[in-house]
C-alpha cells in the first residue's frame, strides 16, 4: 500500500460501553486506485486508534463513491477478542477466520428437523 496516496479518516466515533467496543465510520481517499484492502485498512486504523491486537478490528459495508477515489464504510474495535466472538455475527467472524461452520449434509439437517417436529407433536397431544 502506497502510504502517500491513501488517506484514512474515522468519523462519528462512538464508545459503546454496552457492547464493549468503539464504532465509527471509515472514510478512505484513494485517488488512482480501485480500492484498498481491508487488511491494509486494519493496520492503518490500529495505528490511528492505538489498538494492540488488529484481530479485534472489524471493517465492513464499504461503498466506493461514483467515479472512484473515495470509499466509505463502517468499523468496530472491540476491547478484546472474547467479547468480539460473543457479539459479532457468525458470518463476520468467519470472514475474519475466527469461526468455522460445522459441516453436516443436507439430508442430516432435514432428518433432524423432522425428528424435532415429531417430538413436538407428541408433547402437544398430551
Amino acid at each position: 500500500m502506497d502510504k502517500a496516496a491513501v488517506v484514512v479518516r474515522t468519523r462519528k466515533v462512538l464508545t459503546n460501553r454496552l457492547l464493549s467496543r468503539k464504532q465509527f465510520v471509515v472514510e478512505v481517499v484513494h485517488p488512482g486506485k480501485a480500492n484498498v484492502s481491508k487488511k491494509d485498512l486494519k493496520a492503518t486504523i490500529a495505528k490511528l486508534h492505538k489498538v494492540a491486537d488488529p484481530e479485534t478490528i472489524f471493517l465492513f459495508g464499504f461503498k466506493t463513491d461514483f467515479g472512484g477515489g473515495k470509499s466509505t464504510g463502517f468499523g468496530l474495535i472491540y476491547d478484546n477478542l472474547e467479547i468480539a466472538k460473543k457479539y459479532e455475527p457468525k458470518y463476520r467472524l468467519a470472514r475474519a477466520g475466527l469461526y468455522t461452520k460445522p459441516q453436516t449434509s443436507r439430508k442430516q439437517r432435514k432428518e433432524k428437523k423432522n425428528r424435532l417436529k415429531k417430538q413436538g407433536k407428541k408433547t402437544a397431544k398430551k
Side-chain angles (χ1 to χ4, degrees), residues 48-59:
L48 192 69
H49 286 275
K50 297 175 182 74
V51 177
D53 186 12
E55 288 275 299
T56 60
I57 300 173
F58 293 86
L59 303 171

Side-chain angles (χ1 to χ4, degrees), residues 83-122:
I83 292 171
K85 286 180 180 179
K86 182 179 177 184
Y87 291 120
E88 272 298 288
K90 298 276 192 279
Y91 75 93
R92 281 207 294 255
L93 289 171
R95 282 181 191 171
L98 301 172
Y99 174 79
T100 53
K101 188 177 176 184
Q103 294 294 322
T104 57
S105 71
R106 180 179 168 93
K107 189 172 182 178
Q108 281 180 322
R109 287 195 305 266
K110 286 183 170 290
E111 285 173 354
K112 182 181 179 187
K113 175 191 66 116
N114 290 330
R115 273 197 311 273
L116 292 173
K117 273 174 49 178
K118 216 181 247 187
Q119 285 175 356
K121 285 182 183 178
K122 285 181 185 175

Side-chain angles (χ1 to χ4, degrees), residues 1 4 13-14 26 34 38 40 58-59 64 70 79 85 91 93 98-99 112 121 125:
M1 177 171 99
V13 179
L14 279 170
V26 182
K38 287 187 185 149
D40 292 342
F58 293 86
L59 303 171
T64 306
K70 183 182 173 188
D79 291 352
K85 286 180 180 179
Y91 75 93
L93 289 171
L98 301 172
Y99 174 79
K112 182 181 179 187
K121 285 182 183 178
K125 285 181 182 178

